[in-house]
């Protein structure tokens, strides 16, 4: 009996030692690593090639892509894949690439790879040639020397744009169209699965040059309908939902299982007028529309306080935001007088007309930003009060609809200065012939300021130019700047490390964790 007791005690001791060893030295993954974070995303990529259109926004949001520099706190440029940079002269930049960076396929990132990537981007992205204006790139080991055709003060900030995501250009050449479904990038996460228009699954990059990601796997689901995203969040199907409608914020804040994250954005919701349409080619009509819109109501009532009334295109979160500019105050009586004086008289149906032309239009909207159709309905009512009739047509792809040119006006949400510099929006949206100048606006004075901005390196002077340009845009009333929306994302209480930034690009990073 004594021998049996000793044997039992020895067996128990061995078991306890083994159990203790498993608790301290086990390599078994934690629950945080084994359970993926699932995210509901409102807008979606056409493919995963960062250089193609705006797809770089998504590969960066999904934690896969990185640029040479990034927009940091205070909307200032900071190092990322580039360790440092120097402006040699007005047309020459020397950039030092960070050591020990590997692509997802194990290839080392060096100056030659950066050169090949940027040259590829310039060849396939319609915005890149104008914004970067590169004449030549020379690779020297872990450095690149880049010469621009003209002085380009916004060159380094333009390198933060996701179209400049660094890719393995050799792999892209070898893979052809397959690269669009499986890009070779450098970020803390790499692709596991891509199902077009449905989901993207990424996994931790174990050879990442920086801090290893907290999460092992993240699933991004394309859920364009806001109500469906919210129901999926409440049911636990997803743990993150982006672009929360303003009217749902209070409801979600009452849910103790959820957290609502809100941050000022660098975005503006605005109306783009097609200046080739009869009536809208009259500045008095456009000014009357601006005066008839109650921006305070849009921000406080329609958007439940999640918007800021807009003056010009740039919101106050930016150092050149136009809080002191002279904008349009809500003045429906003044709008009516202006239309009367311009010869636009009400007909028997209450709609204004002149020379046989009625002020009847179809305004485009889209639902992937759920507040936009609601804003449009409010504007529809406000314009009817002054004698302008609006029909609303919700479309799937607002940019493509406007590019076709067959539209009267459209509500459009634009990220105004995602790299922290005003030149981006001025060149692409407002200058004559800009890629996103859908309404065919043209101003010699604004073009002159745009050219001045293109050769001005002094930061304070650039701010002054940007404010002068905004006042011209306001005075010409070719657009109606409505509200600056806040970014609203809802997450499960066990999700950690999500930081909402004005650029909207840097959602998934190494610090995001999930304790569920």
């Amino acid at each position: 009996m004594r021998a049996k007791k000793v044997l039992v005690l020895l067996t128990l001791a061995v078991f306890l030692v083994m159990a203790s060893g498993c608790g301290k030295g086990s390599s078994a993954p934690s629950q945080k690593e084994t359970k993926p974070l699932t995210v509901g995303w409102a807008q979606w990529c056409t493919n995963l090639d960062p250089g193609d259109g705006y797809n770089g926004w998504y590969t960066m949001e999904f934690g896969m892509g990185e640029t040479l520099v990034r927009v940091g706190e205070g909307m200032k440029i900071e190092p990322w894949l580039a360790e440092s940079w120097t402006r040699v002269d007005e047309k020459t930049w020397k950039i030092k690439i960070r050591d020990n960076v590997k692509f997802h396929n194990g290839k080392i990132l060096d100056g030659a790879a950066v050169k090949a990537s940027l040259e590829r981007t310039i060849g396939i992205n319609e915005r890149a040639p104008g914004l970067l204006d590169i004449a030549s790139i020379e690779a020297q080991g872990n450095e690149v020397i880049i010469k621009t055709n003209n002085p380009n003060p916004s060159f380094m900030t333009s390198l933060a744009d996701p179209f400049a995501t660094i890719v393995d250009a050799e792999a892209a050449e070898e893979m052809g169209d397959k690269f669009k479904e499986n890009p070779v990038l450098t970020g803390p996460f790499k692709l596991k699965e891509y199902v077009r228009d449905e989901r993207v699954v990424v996994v931790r990059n174990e050879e990442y040059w920086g801090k290893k990601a907290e999460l092992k796997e993240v699933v991004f689901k394309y859920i364009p309908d806001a109500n469906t995203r919210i129901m999926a969040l409440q049911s636990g199907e997803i743990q993150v939902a982006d672009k929360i409608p303003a009217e749902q914020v209070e409801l979600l804040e009452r849910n103790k299982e959820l957290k609502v994250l809100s941050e000022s954005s660098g975005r503006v919701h605005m109306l783009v007028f097609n200046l080739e349409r009869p009536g809208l080619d009259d500045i008095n009509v456009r000014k009357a529309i601006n005066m008839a819109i109650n921006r305070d109501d849009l921000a406080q009532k329609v958007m439940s306080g999640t918007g800021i009334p807009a003056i010009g295109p740039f919101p106050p979160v930016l150092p050149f935001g136009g809080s002191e500019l002279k904008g349009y105050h809500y003045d429906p009586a003044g709008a009516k007088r202006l239309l009367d004086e311009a010869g636009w008289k009400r007909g028997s149906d209450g709609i204004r007309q002149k020379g046989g032309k009625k002020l009847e239009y179809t305004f485009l909207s889209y639902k992937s930003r759920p507040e936009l159709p609601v804003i449009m309905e409010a504007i529809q009512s406000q314009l009817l009060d002054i004698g302008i009739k609006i029909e609303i047509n919700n479309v799937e792809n607002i940019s493509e609809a406007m590019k076709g040119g067959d539209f009267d006006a459209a509500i459009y949400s634009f990220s105004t200065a995602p790299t922290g510099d005003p030149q981006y929006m001025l060149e692409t949206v407002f200058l004559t012939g800009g890629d996103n100048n859908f309404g065919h606006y043209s101003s010699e004075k604004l073009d002159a300021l745009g050219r001045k901005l293109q050769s001005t390196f002094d930061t304070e002077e650039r701010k002054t130019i940007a404010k002068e340009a905004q006042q011209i845009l306001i005075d010409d009333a070719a657009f109606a700047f409505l509200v600056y929306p806040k970014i609203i994302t809802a997450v499960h209480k066990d999700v950690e490390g999500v930081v909402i930034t004005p650029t909207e690009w840097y959602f998934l990073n190494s610090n995001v964790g999930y304790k569920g």
Side-chain angles (χ1 to χ4, degrees), residues 256-259 491-496 515:
K256 295 182 179 181
E257 296 297 308
L258 303 176
K259 297 181 290 186
V491 304
H492 189 273
K493 66 178 182 179
D494 290 333
V495 175
E496 301 173 331
K515 298 183 296 184

Side-chain angles (χ1 to χ4, degrees), residues 54 126-127 270 272 399 402-403 412 414 424-425 427-431 433-440 479:
Y54 286 88
E126 63 181 13
R127 294 181 297 127
M270 63 184 184
V272 179
S399 297
M402 287 195 289
K403 279 181 181 178
Y412 191 53
F414 197 86
Y424 170 77
M425 188 179 196
E427 286 192 359
T428 58
V429 179
F430 302 127
L431 296 192
D435 292 335
N436 293 322
N437 188 342
F438 302 119
H440 309 290
F479 307 84

